[in-house]
Amino acid sequence: MPLREADLAQSARAGLALIYPPSCIACGAAVDRPQALCADCWSTIRFIDRPYCERLGTPFALDIGGTLHSPAAIADPPVFQRARAVAAYDGAARSLVQKLKYNDRIELAEALGRMMLRAGAELLADADLIVPVPLHRWRLWRRRFNQAAALAQVVARHAQIPCDMQALRRVKITRSQVGLTRSQRRDNLSGAFRVTESARLRLAQKRVLVIDDVVTTGSTANAVARALLRGGAQTVDVLSFACVVTES
């Protein structure tokens, strides 16, 4: 009796597993299936669940009930509507972001993107269009791929939401945001992003979900959101794999 295609595929995967045993995507230790984390690395990830700030997505230590907004969101409301992230930017989460970003580990986008589906479920339910944070063309040439775009493609494919890779361009090379004050960060990113003329009709009155690998100060997310809103978007939300969490 001939084998079905599914049986052949399963046999092929089993054969490959014998030759190339699956390893942890963060540390390389043995695991039971591909694209997985070992128990030790999993334990270092600080997943972000409620209670968190409904605007910035940053976690609270205690749940006092109701809709919660952090002092940072109240004092300086973001341009975007809501931000969500899978985990705090430390431990294995930080390692995964850096491997994807700097070590050409583009295959990690699938695992990270799948985790982002759960963290961003409420944002995805409202989204009409997905847009990745773009790299400047010279930085893209040096790095060879845009990690935000790789994540956006995974999220868009699984969520079945259109992804517009050409809607937004980074037209200004910016210096590192590390060590800059809030006003310096804003100046550094001022005019850095621009909606392409051909994308204005595609953006008109759309609820846009911006995808990035990590949100640090939120300055980049604000600059991207500002450009998209000026380009015709109705609302802008932000979904990242990780975000920097400042302990209070």
Side-chain angles (χ1 to χ4, degrees):
M1 182 175 181
L3 289 173
R4 295 178 303 169
E5 288 186 9
D7 295 328
L8 289 171
Q10 185 175 0
S11 298
R13 287 193 295 269
L16 284 173
L18 290 174
I19 302 171
Y20 304 106
S23 59
C24 172
I25 57 175
C27 72
V31 291
D32 61 352
R33 65 187 186 280
Q35 293 288 307
L37 287 161
C38 68
D40 287 343
C41 288
W42 185 271
S43 69
T44 71
I45 296 182
R46 289 195 292 159
F47 291 100
I48 297 175
D49 291 302
R50 281 190 169 89
Y52 49 62
C53 172
E54 294 298 325
R55 292 297 302 276
L56 300 178
T58 49
F60 287 102
L62 298 174
D63 188 353
I64 58 176
T67 301
L68 302 176
H69 291 88
S70 65
I74 295 170
D76 188 18
V79 179
F80 52 84
Q81 193 70 22
R82 299 169 293 178
R84 299 290 184 266
V86 174
Y89 187 53
D90 55 24
R94 181 187 181 101
S95 174
L96 288 169
V97 168
Q98 292 182 342
K99 286 176 186 294
L100 172 65
K101 199 169 192 172
Y102 302 118
N103 293 3
D104 293 336
R105 295 284 304 279
I106 193 170
E107 78 278 3
L108 294 178
E110 182 67 29
L112 273 58
R114 283 177 176 271
M115 292 187 217
M116 292 168 70
L117 292 169
R118 177 183 174 276
E122 61 183 326
L123 307 188
L124 289 163
D126 294 336
D128 299 314
L129 188 68
I130 287 174
V131 174
V133 173
L135 289 177
H136 189 273
R137 63 182 183 275
W138 292 115
R139 190 163 293 171
L140 179 60
W141 179 78
R142 289 197 301 269
R143 196 174 289 172
R144 297 190 293 277
F145 76 98
N146 177 1
Q147 70 282 353
L151 292 170
Q153 288 175 320
V154 172
V155 172
R157 185 176 74 251
H158 288 289
Q160 297 185 329
I161 297 172
C163 181
D164 196 326
M165 308 293 282
Q166 306 300 323
L168 195 65
R169 290 182 180 171
R170 195 166 193 148
V171 296
K172 173 183 170 183
I173 298 178
T174 54
R175 61 191 176 113
S176 172
Q177 298 281 86
V178 177
L180 300 184
T181 65
R182 180 176 299 172
S183 62
Q184 287 173 331
R185 291 196 297 266
R186 287 174 178 165
D187 290 343
N188 187 37
L189 287 164
S190 178
F193 301 98
R194 185 179 302 160
V195 169
T196 60
E197 287 301 321
S198 62
R200 289 182 178 273
L201 284 176
R202 301 197 300 273
L203 284 174
Q205 294 304 302
K206 291 293 194 301
R207 297 169 296 180
V208 178
L209 178 60
V210 171
I211 300 291
D212 206 357
D213 57 342
V214 58
V215 170
T216 51
T217 65
S219 297
T220 298
N222 277 327
V224 167
R226 189 175 291 111
L228 289 168
L229 290 169
R230 287 175 177 170
Q234 179 181 335
T235 60
V236 177
D237 291 323
V238 179
L239 176 61
S240 63
F241 176 72
C243 72
V244 171
V245 174
T246 302
E247 303 294 345
S248 57

